[in-house]
Amino acid sequence: TPAVEQLRAKGKEGHGKLAPLMGPEFERAFVDQMAAGHREALQRVEQFLKTAQNEALKQHLAATRERVTLHLKEAERLQQLRS
């Protein structure tokens, strides 16, 4: 879908920004990208949950929301450690 292609393109762009970095610079940029990516993913999952009509899909999205939320919290924790 166009949304998937957009996410892939964004991932490639992010990888391109990380590739030349090393050490603490890489770590900071990587964690920042992960936090931003998980925030965006959480927003998308929330949007999909609002419109999903299939019960199995809703359950899958709810489980996905929980995992993405945990990953986001961990990325934010790592960001705080770097501050």
Side-chain angles (χ1 to χ4, degrees), residues 5 11 15 21 36-37 40 44 50 53 74 78 81:
E5 289 304 317
H15 182 268
L21 304 177
E40 183 178 349
R44 287 179 186 252
K50 290 177 185 176
Q53 296 180 359
E74 180 63 13
L78 292 171
L81 290 175

Side-chain angles (χ1 to χ4, degrees), residues 3 7 37-53 57-69 72:
L7 289 174
H38 282 83
R39 277 187 208 97
E40 183 178 349
L42 190 56
Q43 288 174 342
R44 287 179 186 252
V45 169
E46 292 288 347
Q47 289 172 345
F48 293 145
L49 265 169
K50 290 177 185 176
T51 60
Q53 296 180 359
L57 177 58
K58 286 181 184 180
Q59 289 176 4
H60 176 72
L61 289 168
T64 299
R65 176 180 55 194
E66 288 180 33
R67 286 190 298 277
V68 172
T69 299
L72 174 57

Side-chain angles (χ1 to χ4, degrees), residues 19-38:
L21 304 177
M22 297 186 75
E25 228 182 321
F26 172 84
E27 293 170 8
R28 186 176 299 109
F30 178 81
V31 170
D32 288 347
Q33 278 191 21
M34 290 302 104
H38 282 83

